[in-house]
Amino acid sequence: MTTVGFTRPSDRLDAGMKICERMDLSCLCAPSLEPQHGSPETFALVKRILSEGSAYFTVFASITAIEECVKEFGKDMLSAYLDETYVACTGASTAKALKEMVGRDCDLVPEVYSGECVAEEIKDEVGDKLVLLLRSDSGDDRIRTILQDAGAYVEDMAVYGMVPAPFGPMHERLLDGIASGEVNAMVFSSPMTARTFYSQMQERFGKDKADELLSELFKVAIGKPTREAMEAMGIGVDATPEKSTFEGMLQVVADRFSDSDN
């Protein structure tokens, strides 16, 4: 059986393991990053913008951005705020989470799942209008730059930050599996996740050995920003999924090793 390695926030590990089981993949996994709730000042500004109805588009860049806004405002209040704005989500999973957690349908999901593609799709209609970005404190600048170049007023709100989860036995097991050759593939779901895991590998094995071990794995990046971050670190990327979702990455792995078996 093909074994895939991954790191995800601790509250999403079980879901990831269930998807692997459904796809007949074995897995080794460990907690990656944990969210920290945004500052009171940030949420006060978000509340003012949404309550005034001054945002033409509100963009949720992740499921976690929705979760943190629900924690701050509550489901019903957030739903009421979003009645006064168009809503875009950077992917189908985020749009699904918005519907499940808030009861709000998404007005736009880009064909290619990314913040950059959201910006490309709405840039022609946001000149002189306010766009509210709700995302982490580590989001890249491209979405903001595209929108500002199109004449939009952009409020870029870090409604959460991400910090590495404490290193523990699950990380040790995953690294041991990579070193022994038990793990066939690694999937990476964000630039920060990739950087954090690469740092852990270097600390455990040293840079040269970490690079050697990674070179022997089939590596999948969830999308363009993650691929570019990995390439900048010198980590080659073997594939990106057609749909930038966790399940999409696992499907790439399943297809790749199914082909090798035939």
Side-chain angles (χ1 to χ4, degrees):
M1 181 180 286
T2 301
T3 298
V4 59
F6 63 86
T7 63
R8 300 187 88 189
S10 55
D11 61 354
R12 292 191 171 85
L13 287 177
D14 284 347
M17 289 187 280
K18 288 176 182 176
I19 296 172
C20 287
E21 182 178 0
R22 189 173 74 241
M23 298 176 70
D24 200 27
L25 294 168
S26 176
C27 69
L28 289 176
C29 59
S32 57
L33 308 168
E34 303 299 344
Q36 290 189 327
H37 198 59
S39 70
E41 295 78 13
T42 292
F43 280 107
L45 181 54
V46 172
K47 179 179 179 180
R48 180 174 66 79
I49 292 169
L50 289 175
S51 62
E52 291 175 352
S54 55
Y56 181 72
F57 253 106
T58 296
V59 180
F60 287 99
S62 66
I63 294 172
T64 305
I66 299 170
E67 291 171 338
E68 296 304 311
C69 287
V70 170
K71 286 179 188 176
E72 182 69 23
F73 303 123
K75 171 184 174 180
D76 293 340
M77 185 60 72
L78 182 58
S79 177
Y81 287 156
L82 296 179
D83 283 341
E84 304 301 321
T85 178
Y86 291 112
V87 176
C89 291
T90 54
S93 298
T94 305
K96 180 182 178 183
L98 182 69
K99 181 66 174 178
E100 291 175 348
M101 286 190 273
V102 185
R104 171 68 152 85
D105 289 316
C106 186
D107 298 300
L108 184 145
V109 178
E111 185 175 348
V112 178
Y113 300 159
S114 73
E116 185 177 354
C117 289
V118 167
E120 290 288 350
E121 291 202 22
I122 69 174
K123 67 181 182 181
D124 291 337
E125 57 180 298
V126 295
D128 295 322
K129 296 182 176 70
L130 176 63
V131 178
L132 178 62
L133 303 182
L134 302 176
R135 57 180 183 164
S136 79
D137 60 0
S138 58
D140 69 54
D141 293 335
R142 280 174 289 195
I143 180 172
R144 185 173 66 244
T145 299
I146 292 167
L147 293 171
Q148 288 175 334
D149 288 348
Y153 302 101
V154 181
E155 288 287 0
D156 193 351
M157 297 284 98
V159 294
Y160 66 100
M162 298 299 288
V163 296
F167 191 88
M170 294 182 77
H171 298 87
E172 292 281 1
R173 178 70 181 91
L174 174 56
L175 293 175
D176 286 345
I178 290 172
S180 68
E182 178 183 357
V183 175
N184 306 106
M186 279 291 300
V187 298
F188 296 93
S189 56
S190 74
M192 192 172 177
T193 294
R195 283 191 288 267
T196 300
F197 187 71
Y198 186 42
S199 175
Q200 291 168 343
M201 286 199 69
Q202 290 183 86
E203 186 171 342
R204 170 73 180 276
F205 301 115
K207 185 179 186 310
D208 290 345
K209 183 63 175 178
D211 289 345
E212 178 187 339
L213 290 170
L214 282 170
S215 71
E216 296 169 357
L217 296 171
F218 181 70
K219 296 170 290 297
V220 183
I222 196 167
K224 181 180 176 182
T226 303
R227 184 186 72 236
E228 290 178 347
M230 291 172 66
E231 290 171 346
M233 288 184 281
I235 303 172
V237 176
D238 298 297
T240 55
E242 183 176 344
K243 296 292 186 182
S244 299
T245 63
F246 184 75
E247 188 166 358
M249 289 194 292
L250 294 182
Q251 187 61 59
V252 169
V253 173
D255 292 345
R256 163 67 174 76
F257 286 92
S258 173
D259 290 344
S260 342
D261 293 337
N262 292 333

